[in-house]
Amino acid sequence: MLVSDLPTPALLVDRARLQTNLDAMQARADTHGVALRPHVKTHKCVEIARLQAARGARGLTVATVDEAEAFAGAGFDDIRLATPVVSAGKLARLAALAGGGTRVSFTVDSLEGVRRAARAFAESAVEVLIELDTGYGRCGVQWDDTPELVEVAQAVRQSGLTLAGLLSHGGDAYTPAPDGETPDGARRRVMTAERDRVLAVAAMLGRADLLAPGAELSVGSTPGMTAFENAERDGFRITEVRPGTYVFMDGTQVALGAARLQDCALTCVGTVISKQRFDDGTERVITDAGKKVLTSDRRAGSEGFGTVLYSPRTMIAHPHAVVSGLSEEHGWVDTPGGVIWDVGDPVFVVPNHACVAVATRRQLHVVEGDEVTDVWDVVAR
């Protein structure tokens, strides 16, 4: 099958770029002596998870219990939810996975979260990690709130749960560099702060005899990993990293300086379904790729909802075309001075956020040049 034969909108995965991205991140993790536990919410694809495992990934990170069940059902037996789980129904489902032989772990960041986890796993073992907020401002105990950290760690010990270690998400690595700082410098600053703050908490809990040397210390994001350097403090080292978007890269990673456009392995193809021309010379085409595939996420430094390409083979961005607007099933592509498309033509766009784009599709179409060589299912959508 050729790309031109696909019903649109569709997501294309360039096999060569995918493999290059997988190899590069595994090599980076190996170089710095950390396990790579990739976040599969980006691709939600069993075949890609198997490619990651074959290269040396140790365990998987997931965002939802649905994902945990889907990948456990596909044979993956070490699954970590990088989020607190507190609802009785979800905890019961995780307990069932653990009872079936899957190593399950998730995070806690409150006394109530510890109590709920302890009740759900009263008759089976489970590992939890204390989630730390190292500056992003989402979930997690504040990294410098020593009394609360000690209280939560003590509660885990008294509950009968196993404290496997600490986990953080340096989501502030997605914040554009401020004036006067390079993108590389911003990523390094955020990643270094995340690493050092996790190590500081580990050392503090270690001195309080609440965390054993060798405990799992889990950090990282795709932009953070481009600036990661390991370190040691009081016998503790970062043990694992959890990037996700690296498999595909996307417009946001390019904007942050964490990738080049030529590294992006995921492209959306839509079809021109209508065409308009305005008095100022701007031409607009309407494609069938709307917010249900391109998503409404924007990226720093761009007014559009993705990067319009001349061709996914060359990965050359159109210098003027902009995805200026989206509705559910329609995408507006504006080009001052005229367009190169007519009704029925394909339009290729690199999404701003690969994870959300994938979550809306049933399948990924693996391409080599113009040929579709595989079709992989997206699970736990």
Side-chain angles (χ1 to χ4, degrees):
M1 177 188 294
L2 298 177
V3 170
S4 57
D5 298 324
L6 290 174
T8 59
L11 292 181
L12 313 178
V13 176
D14 184 279
R15 189 187 298 273
R17 294 187 195 109
L18 170 68
Q19 292 175 336
T20 297
N21 292 342
L22 296 177
D23 290 340
M25 188 59 75
Q26 186 63 59
R28 185 159 188 82
D30 292 344
T31 296
H32 293 285
V34 290
L36 174 61
R37 183 186 288 271
H39 207 318
V40 297
K41 74 181 176 79
T42 297
H43 56 73
K44 292 177 175 281
C45 177
V46 170
E47 286 81 1
I48 295 178
R50 288 175 178 154
L51 291 174
Q52 292 171 310
R55 284 164 168 76
R58 286 179 264 171
L60 300 179
T61 306
V62 300
T64 67
V65 177
D66 286 348
E67 290 174 1
E69 290 172 334
F71 284 93
F76 293 91
D77 60 2
D78 184 354
I79 296 176
R80 175 160 293 163
L81 279 83
T83 183
V85 183
V86 299
S87 74
K90 291 181 179 180
L91 286 165
R93 290 161 63 188
L94 291 180
L97 284 182
T102 302
R103 182 196 180 202
V104 173
S105 56
F106 54 92
T107 69
V108 294
D109 69 354
S110 65
L111 296 181
E112 180 61 23
V114 172
R115 285 192 286 267
R116 287 170 177 250
R119 285 198 299 268
F121 286 87
E123 298 181 2
S124 58
V126 70
E127 296 177 2
V128 298
L129 298 93
I130 297 175
E131 184 162 352
L132 306 179
D133 180 358
T134 58
Y136 185 37
R138 198 172 65 177
C139 293
V141 182
Q142 291 292 324
W143 72 274
D144 56 354
D145 189 342
T146 298
E148 185 174 1
L149 288 164
V150 169
E151 189 176 38
V152 172
Q154 289 174 334
V156 172
R157 170 175 288 183
Q158 294 163 4
S159 71
L161 301 171
T162 298
L163 180 57
L166 308 175
L167 179 147
S168 67
H169 172 57
D172 37 344
Y174 283 87
T175 303
D179 292 343
E181 188 175 26
T182 66
D184 285 349
R187 295 196 309 278
R188 187 169 301 280
R189 169 177 51 79
V190 172
M191 183 71 259
T192 300
E194 181 186 4
R195 178 201 68 192
D196 290 350
R197 289 169 179 178
V198 170
L199 289 172
V201 174
M204 180 274 292
L205 292 177
R207 290 191 296 270
D209 197 28
L210 292 170
L211 193 68
E216 296 184 48
L217 304 183
S218 179
V219 304
S221 61
T222 292
M225 274 306 296
T226 63
F228 178 76
E229 300 284 345
N230 212 339
E232 182 172 341
R233 181 163 179 174
D234 293 355
F236 290 94
R237 286 175 58 84
I238 302 301
T239 62
E240 75 172 25
V241 292
R242 308 182 323 278
T245 311
Y246 78 93
V247 297
F248 296 140
M249 297 301 187
D250 56 21
T252 296
Q253 302 301 326
V254 174
L256 292 171
R260 306 167 303 164
L261 185 61
Q262 293 82 0
D263 299 322
C264 294
L266 186 78
T267 304
C268 173
V269 56
T271 299
V272 176
I273 58 175
S274 184
K275 189 172 180 179
Q276 305 167 4
R277 185 172 179 84
F278 300 96
D279 292 341
D280 65 359
T282 296
E283 288 194 358
R284 170 178 292 168
V285 296
I286 307 297
T287 78
D288 59 1
K291 68 175 63 174
K292 285 184 176 176
V293 60
L294 288 178
T295 87
S296 57
D297 284 8
R298 292 183 180 270
R299 69 178 190 270
S302 172
E303 57 184 305
F305 296 93
T307 303
V308 183
L309 303 173
Y310 279 114
S311 163
R313 296 188 67 176
T314 61
M315 296 302 288
I316 296 175
H318 194 294
H320 306 298
V322 175
V323 184
S324 61
L326 301 171
S327 62
E328 290 186 63
E329 315 291 352
H330 301 77
W332 285 254
V333 181
D334 291 348
T335 310
V339 301
I340 60 174
W341 303 282
D342 208 339
V343 171
D345 287 344
V347 178
F348 300 96
V349 180
V350 174
N352 284 343
H353 191 172
C355 308
V356 184
V358 169
T360 71
R361 299 292 96 189
R362 292 193 302 270
Q363 294 177 320
L364 301 174
H365 302 274
V366 184
V367 298
E368 299 179 41
D370 295 325
E371 185 177 357
V372 179
T373 57
D374 269 307
V375 179
W376 293 339
D377 288 336
V378 176
V379 301
R381 293 172 53 234

